[in-house]
Amino acid sequence: MTLRMRTLSFLTTSFSSSSMPSLLDQNLKINSSELPSPWLNSSLLPISSSGLGISCFTMAFGAISNLTALGILAKSRVKFRRQSKTPFLLLAVALLVTDLGSHVIPGTFALYLHIGQTYKTQRTLPTGTFCRIFGASMVFFGLCPLLLGCAMAMERCVGITQPLFHSTMITIVHMRRVVLFLASIALVLAIPPFFGVGTYTAQFPGTWCFLPVNSPHSTADTSLALVFSFLGLTALTLSLLCNILSGLALLLARMRSYSVNTKSAAHSSRRASSASTSFLFCSLDVEMMVQLAAITVMSCVCWSPFLIHIAVMQFNQIPRASIHKQDKFILLALRLASWNQILDPWVYILLRRAVLFRVRCTGSAHGQTETARRSFTGTRRPTVFRESVAL
C-alpha cells in the first residue's frame, strides 16, 4: 500500500512538472498568435467610464441630428419637386440615412462592448461572428457617406455646368440606381471576411472591430485595407474637384447676371445691386453649393487622417514596440472620422436659404442702422456747432 502511494505521488509530481507547462506554453502561443496587437496581452490596461459616456453621447446626438435634418428635407420635398431638384434631394436623404445607420448599428455594438468593459471584472474581446458583423458595418457605413458625397458633388457639377443635359438625362430613376450601385460597392468590400478572404480583428482598446491596420495578417487583409483607403481618398478628391468646377461656373454666371442687371438699371444702381446680391445669396443653386462645400470640407478634415494612416501602414513595417502608439493614433483618427456623420446633418439644418437669408437680412439691417446713425451724426454736428457759436 505504501509502495502504491509513493508511485501515485511520483506520477502526479512528474505530470505537474512536465506536462502542464508544455500545455500552458502551447495555449499561450495559440492565443498570442491570434491577437493582432500587444495591448491585448496586457491585463493592466485601465478601463475608464469616459469611453462609455462618449459613446452614448455621440450615438444619441448623431441620431437626433440626422432625424432632425431628415425632417427638414421632408418639409422641403414640394419645393425641390417644383424646381426639379429631386435627384439632389434623393442623394441628400440617402446620405443622412447612412449617417443615421452608422450611429445606430455600429454605435450599438460599440456601446455593448463599452458596457462589458466598464461593468465586468474580466475583459471580453469581440471575436468570431460578432466581430465580423461589427467590422463589416464599420466598413459599409464608413465608405457609403464618402461615395454618396462624391455622387452629390458630381450631380451638382453636371447640373450647373450642363443644365440642359441634367434636366433631360438625369432623373430620379437614375439616382436610385446610383445609390444602389454605390451601396453595392461598399457591401462588396465589407463581406469578403465572411467567406475567409481577409479578417476582422478587435482594435485598441477592444471596443471596435476593423480590418487589421497596423499588423495585417495576410495579403488579403492588406488588399482590403488598401481598397478601402483608395476608394475613400478617391471620393474625397473627386468631390473637391467637382465642387471647385461648380463653384467657378456658378460664380461666373452670377457675375455676368450682376453685370447685366447693373447696366440695365443704371438709374437705380444701388437698388439693382441689392436685388442682385439678394438673388445671388438666396439662389437654390448657391444654397446647394454652400452645403456641398461644407460637407466636402468636413469630410476631408475628418476622414483624411484615418484613410491616409491606413494606406501608409500597409507599406511600412513598424516595430512591435511602437504598435501601441499607432493603435492610439488610429483610435483618435476614428473618433475624428465619426464626427463627420454628426456634422453632416447640421449642414442641412443651418445652411438653408431661410437661415442664410435671415443672417444676410440681419447684417443688412445692422449696416443700414449704422449708416443712418453716422448720417444723423454728420448732419447734427454743424447745427450744434452753429448754436454754440451763436451763444
Side-chain angles (χ1 to χ4, degrees):
M1 186 69 181
T2 304
L3 180 60
R4 186 178 180 181
M5 291 295 294
R6 289 179 180 177
T7 305
L8 289 174
S9 177
F10 174 77
L11 291 174
T12 305
T13 305
S14 301
F15 179 77
S16 61
S17 61
S18 61
S19 300
M20 289 301 293
S22 62
L23 292 175
L24 288 174
D25 290 341
Q26 291 177 3
N27 194 19
L28 287 175
K29 288 179 181 179
I30 292 173
N31 290 338
S32 62
S33 65
E34 293 176 354
L35 299 179
S37 299
W39 60 266
L40 292 174
N41 291 324
S42 175
S43 60
L44 301 176
L45 189 66
I47 298 175
S48 175
S49 60
S50 61
L52 177 61
I54 293 174
S55 181
C56 292
F57 171 76
T58 55
M59 180 179 175
F61 184 62
I64 293 173
S65 300
N66 281 279
L67 289 174
T68 303
L70 285 172
I72 292 175
L73 288 182
K75 291 182 179 179
S76 305
R77 186 177 180 181
V78 176
K79 176 191 71 175
F80 275 80
R81 276 185 175 180
R82 185 172 61 249
Q83 300 191 12
S84 300
K85 304 301 180 183
T86 311
F88 182 84
L89 175 63
L90 176 62
L91 293 174
V93 170
L95 176 64
L96 293 177
V97 169
T98 54
D99 287 342
L100 179 61
S102 67
H103 288 291
V104 175
I105 298 177
T108 303
F109 292 145
L111 190 62
Y112 171 78
L113 294 177
H114 275 293
I115 293 175
Q117 287 195 12
T118 305
Y119 296 104
K120 291 183 180 179
T121 56
Q122 185 177 2
R123 294 195 59 183
T124 56
L125 296 174
T127 56
T129 304
F130 180 87
C131 193
R132 283 194 291 268
I133 296 175
F134 192 3
S137 65
M138 292 284 291
V139 172
F140 179 80
F141 289 108
L143 196 58
C144 270
L146 298 176
L147 296 177
L148 290 173
C150 179
M152 293 171 66
M154 295 177 70
E155 187 272 339
R156 277 297 82 209
C157 183
V158 175
I160 292 175
T161 58
Q162 303 292 332
L164 183 60
F165 175 81
H166 180 272
S167 60
T168 56
M169 299 300 296
I170 298 181
T171 62
I172 189 67
V173 177
H174 294 150
M175 287 299 101
R176 287 174 182 171
R177 293 174 181 174
V178 168
V179 172
L180 291 176
F181 175 71
L182 296 179
S184 300
I185 292 177
L187 184 62
V188 167
L189 185 62
I191 62 174
F194 286 92
F195 302 98
V197 181
T199 56
Y200 288 119
T201 58
Q203 305 291 324
F204 176 84
T207 55
W208 61 292
C209 294
F210 199 72
L211 297 166
V213 176
N214 295 326
S215 56
H217 294 171
S218 62
T219 305
D221 294 332
T222 303
S223 301
L224 290 175
L226 285 176
V227 171
F228 178 85
S229 177
F230 174 77
L231 288 176
L233 292 174
T234 302
L236 291 178
T237 304
L238 289 177
S239 299
L240 280 174
L241 293 177
C242 290
N243 285 333
I244 291 173
L245 292 176
S246 301
L248 291 176
L250 193 61
L251 181 62
L252 291 175
R254 297 311 182 196
M255 289 177 64
R256 294 193 192 100
S257 177
Y258 178 81
S259 177
V260 171
N261 291 337
T262 304
K263 291 179 180 179
S264 63
H267 60 280
S268 56
S269 59
R270 180 175 297 180
R271 184 176 302 175
S273 175
S274 177
S276 178
T277 305
S278 177
F279 175 75
L280 168 64
F281 207 74
C282 299
S283 170
L284 183 60
D285 288 331
V286 175
E287 175 192 7
M288 289 187 290
M289 278 307 306
V290 170
Q291 292 174 349
L292 274 177
I295 290 174
T296 304
V297 170
M298 288 189 303
S299 297
C300 291
V301 172
C302 294
W303 275 101
S304 293
F306 187 74
L307 297 172
I308 294 175
H309 181 79
I310 290 176
V312 170
M313 286 299 101
Q314 306 312 306
F315 298 102
N316 292 340
Q317 294 294 332
I318 59 176
R320 192 172 182 81
S322 61
I323 289 181
H324 184 61
K325 183 178 180 181
Q326 298 297 329
D327 286 334
K328 288 185 177 181
F329 178 81
I330 199 67
L331 177 63
L332 180 62
L334 175 70
R335 289 176 175 173
L336 180 63
S338 66
W339 274 93
N340 182 51
Q341 279 85 345
I342 298 176
L343 297 175
D344 275 347
W346 286 97
V347 171
Y348 300 99
I349 295 173
L350 298 178
L351 300 182
R352 293 176 291 148
R353 283 197 296 171
V355 177
L356 296 177
F357 182 75
R358 289 174 186 174
V359 171
R360 181 191 175 279
C361 289
T362 302
S364 299
H366 178 73
Q368 292 176 0
T369 303
E370 185 68 20
T371 302
R373 187 184 66 81
R374 291 180 180 179
S375 177
F376 175 78
T377 304
T379 56
R380 180 65 178 167
R381 186 176 300 168
T383 305
V384 175
F385 177 76
R386 285 196 300 268
E387 290 177 356
S388 62
V389 170
L391 290 175

